[in-house]
Amino acid sequence: RAVIILDTINLVLLVIQMLLYIAVVRAEQSDRKMEMAARSMLRICAMEGLLCLISLWGALSFSKTMVVAGIVNFGVGVAAGFALMSWEGILINLLFLSPHVLLFMEIQRGIMTEETYQNEEHSCCCV
């Protein structure tokens, strides 16, 4: 459940971020560099959104292969945080990454499946 909640939150934030970048692209048409930067960020947000959707679907369908998309998404976020020396970015991405890794491990071990979900549901803080 934590992966579903975090991926949903991430998708909402990405949509807001994309709307802001679209506004920048429209407003900064005279500044070519700013427009190009906003368009690049818009593409990155779209790719991140796609990975997030795949991960969300993976969590809903208990597919470890699809949950890997979330691990890649937030793993790249951690790496980018280190590259940019953004401690907040590192921390936030680690907080989003850890439930994805745990879900992947539980699916791989057979602990979390469609059949066992009802038994494991109580262990989530969000119930």
Side-chain angles (χ1 to χ4, degrees):
R1 218 179 249 194
V3 170
I4 294 168
I5 292 168
L6 291 176
D7 280 345
T8 303
I9 290 170
N10 192 39
L11 280 171
V12 169
L13 294 174
L14 281 170
V15 168
I16 293 168
Q17 193 174 5
M18 290 175 79
L19 291 173
L20 292 172
Y21 286 130
I22 290 169
V24 168
V25 167
R26 288 189 177 174
E28 298 295 335
Q29 290 179 348
S30 61
D31 185 352
R32 188 77 177 137
K33 286 184 182 179
M34 182 65 90
E35 181 186 356
M36 296 278 289
R39 286 182 188 276
S40 294
M41 292 306 297
L42 197 55
R43 287 185 195 101
I44 291 170
C45 285
M47 288 177 55
E48 189 177 346
L50 179 63
L51 289 173
C52 193
L53 283 171
I54 293 169
S55 174
L56 179 62
W57 184 255
L60 290 169
S61 62
F62 303 96
S63 168
K64 68 179 180 181
T65 307
M66 294 174 86
V67 171
V68 168
I71 294 171
V72 169
N73 185 18
F74 296 113
V76 168
V78 170
F82 275 111
L84 299 170
M85 298 298 287
S86 169
W87 304 115
E88 299 87 5
I90 294 168
L91 179 63
I92 290 169
N93 280 290
L94 282 174
L95 289 173
F96 277 62
L97 176 65
S98 58
H100 288 80
V101 172
L102 291 173
L103 178 61
F104 176 85
M105 290 169 50
E106 286 189 351
I107 291 172
Q108 186 167 356
R109 292 180 183 152
I111 296 169
M112 188 67 72
T113 64
E114 287 183 50
E115 295 78 29
T116 63
Y117 178 72
Q118 296 301 322
N119 298 335
E120 300 296 326
E121 183 179 24
H122 71 279
S123 64
C124 180
C125 65
C126 309
V127 175

